[in-house]
Amino acid sequence: MSPNPMPPEKTSHILVLGMGGTIAGLASNPGKDPLSYKAGELGIEALLEKIQEDIPGELKLVSRQVANINSRNLTEPLLSLLGQTVMESLANTMVRGIVITHGTDTMEETGVFLQLTCGKYAQNLGKRIIITGAMLPANAPEADGPSNLLDAIRWASTPLDNCPGGVYGVMAGRACLAMDLSKRHATALNAPLQASPSSSAGLINPSWLFGVKAVQGAWSEDLPIPKGEEWPWVEILTSHAGSRPETIARWFGGGVEGLVLAGSGIGGFHDAWLTPLGEAAKQGIALVRTSRTGGGLTYPDIPEKDLAGCMASGSLSAPRARIALQLAINAAKQANLVGKSLTWQDFFARIAVLPLIG
Ligand code: ASP
C-alpha cells in the first residue's frame, strides 16, 4: 500500500480525503492527559502510514488533504469544496470508493450535506463514501483513529452485495447512514453514533439494510452544491424557559434568510415567539421547526397548527435541518433562475419526509 501510487488516475483505488479533526490531532502529554490536544495536526498520509501493515497489498489507496481543521470551525465554503471534490472523484472511474477523515463535532452537518448533494449519484454509481474520525488524538495510548480508518477503508472497498452505494459513517466498530450521524456525547468513543440507528460495521443487520434502502428509495434527486458565496444565512434558535420575542425580532432586516427553531418536546416553541415569528414569515424569512430533545420526529401541525409557510423537520435534528434548509433555499433560487417556479418548501418537503431507520 502506498498513499500516493503513481500515477493514481490509472489505477483502481480508494480515495482517502483528509479534513482534520481529532483523528489527526496530537496531545502534548498523551499518556497523562489525552483530552488536552490540538485537532488537525497530522496530514492524511501520516494517518495512513500508521495502518499501512493492515491494508491488503492489492488495495491501492490515494490520499488528498482537503483541509486540516478542528471541525468545530467548519465553514460553508469548505463544505462546498468537499462536495465538489467528492462529486469529481465519484465521476472518476478509477475511484472505487471514498473515505473522509473528519472531526466528530460537525460530522452531523457534513453527513447530511453529502447525502443531500451526492447521495443519489453515489448510489447510482454503486460507490460508497464513508466518513470516519476519532474521539482520541492520534498519539493517545488508546487512540481509536487507526481502527476507525481501517474499518472505513474496508467498508469503502467491500463488495456491493453487502451494502449499496451511498454515504455512510463508521465509528467504534459501528456504521450508520451519514445523515444519521449525530454527536450526542462529549467523550464516548461512539459519540457521533449515539442517537443513530446503527448497524455493526462487520456484520450487516438486515433490518438496518432495509431502512437504508427505504431512505435511498425516497431520495430521488441530489440538490445542487452552493458555491462558496451562495450559502444562505440560516441560524438555529432554541426555545427555552424564559424565551423572549427579541430573540426572533433581532434578526429582522439583517440578511438572515432562514431560522431553524429548536423547539421543546415535539417541536412546540414558547408563546413569546408567536407574534415575531408571524412577522418573520411575512418578511420572507424561511422557518423550520425541529425538536431540541435530540430524538424522535417533528410532525406538521403538531402540537399546534403551523404558522403559514413554516415547515416541520421530520427526523432532522437542528444542525441537520439547518443544512437542509440552506440547500433547499439555494435549490429554489437556482430553479427560479432557469424559470422553474419552485419554493424552498418544495425542496425541503422532499428532505423532511425521508424515513427514520428505527
Ligand atoms: N473538536 C474535534 C473536531 O471536531 C473533535 C473530534 O474530531 O473528535 O475536529
Side-chain angles (χ1 to χ4, degrees), residues 20-23 37 39 69-72 102-106 134-135 183:
T22 298
I23 192 169
Y37 65 92
I69 60 161
N70 185 321
S71 80
R72 67 178 186 226
H102 196 291
T104 59
D105 284 6
T106 54
M135 292 298 289
K183 192 174 184 182

Side-chain angles (χ1 to χ4, degrees), residues 5-230:
M6 295 291 290
E9 300 78 17
K10 295 201 176 128
T11 317
S12 171
H13 60 268
I14 299 295
L15 178 66
V16 187
L17 300 175
M19 289 288 285
T22 298
I23 192 169
L26 290 177
S28 47
N29 191 348
K32 192 156 168 266
D33 191 5
L35 292 183
S36 175
Y37 65 92
K38 195 153 181 259
E41 290 284 281
L42 295 178
I44 188 63
E45 289 190 25
L47 303 189
L48 289 171
E49 282 300 322
K50 286 178 188 284
I51 56 168
Q52 186 158 5
E53 281 172 13
D54 298 306
I55 301 285
E58 70 280 6
L59 186 60
K60 295 286 178 236
L61 301 181
V62 174
S63 65
R64 184 160 160 200
Q65 196 80 49
V66 178
N68 210 352
I69 60 161
N70 185 321
S71 80
R72 67 178 186 226
N73 299 321
L74 184 62
T75 63
E76 290 143 348
L78 196 44
L79 276 177
S80 296
L81 175 65
L82 178 65
Q84 279 146 12
T85 305
V86 166
M87 287 300 270
E88 283 160 23
S89 306
L90 285 171
N92 181 344
T93 52
M94 289 298 123
V95 174
R96 286 169 56 187
I98 301 171
V99 169
I100 302 171
T101 57
H102 196 291
T104 59
D105 284 6
T106 54
M107 263 185 189
E108 186 162 356
E109 280 98 324
T110 299
V112 75
F113 166 73
L114 289 177
Q115 168 64 38
L116 298 180
T117 55
C118 313
K120 200 69 199 174
Y121 190 44
Q123 186 201 340
N124 288 343
L125 290 170
K127 295 183 182 181
R128 268 178 249 138
I129 302 160
I130 316 284
I131 306 174
T132 195
M135 292 298 289
L136 292 168
N139 60 347
E142 310 283 319
D144 53 331
S147 61
N148 287 342
L149 184 51
L150 256 178
D151 276 346
I153 290 169
R154 286 195 190 112
W155 261 65
S157 56
T158 43
L160 268 180
D161 46 342
N162 277 341
C163 186
V167 195
Y168 299 90
V170 168
M171 288 280 294
R174 291 169 72 79
C176 67
L177 270 178
M179 65 176 296
D180 288 331
L181 284 163
S182 51
K183 192 174 184 182
R184 295 290 178 270
H185 196 283
T187 52
L189 292 185
N190 68 347
L193 280 77
Q194 284 274 307
S196 309
S198 50
S199 151
S200 159
L203 183 74
I204 302 289
N205 167 341
S207 75
W208 176 75
L209 199 46
F210 185 79
V212 167
K213 288 180 180 165
V215 172
Q216 292 185 335
W219 187 243
S220 55
E221 199 184 328
D222 290 330
L223 298 180
I225 296 173
K227 294 199 183 72
E229 69 290 352
E230 279 175 354

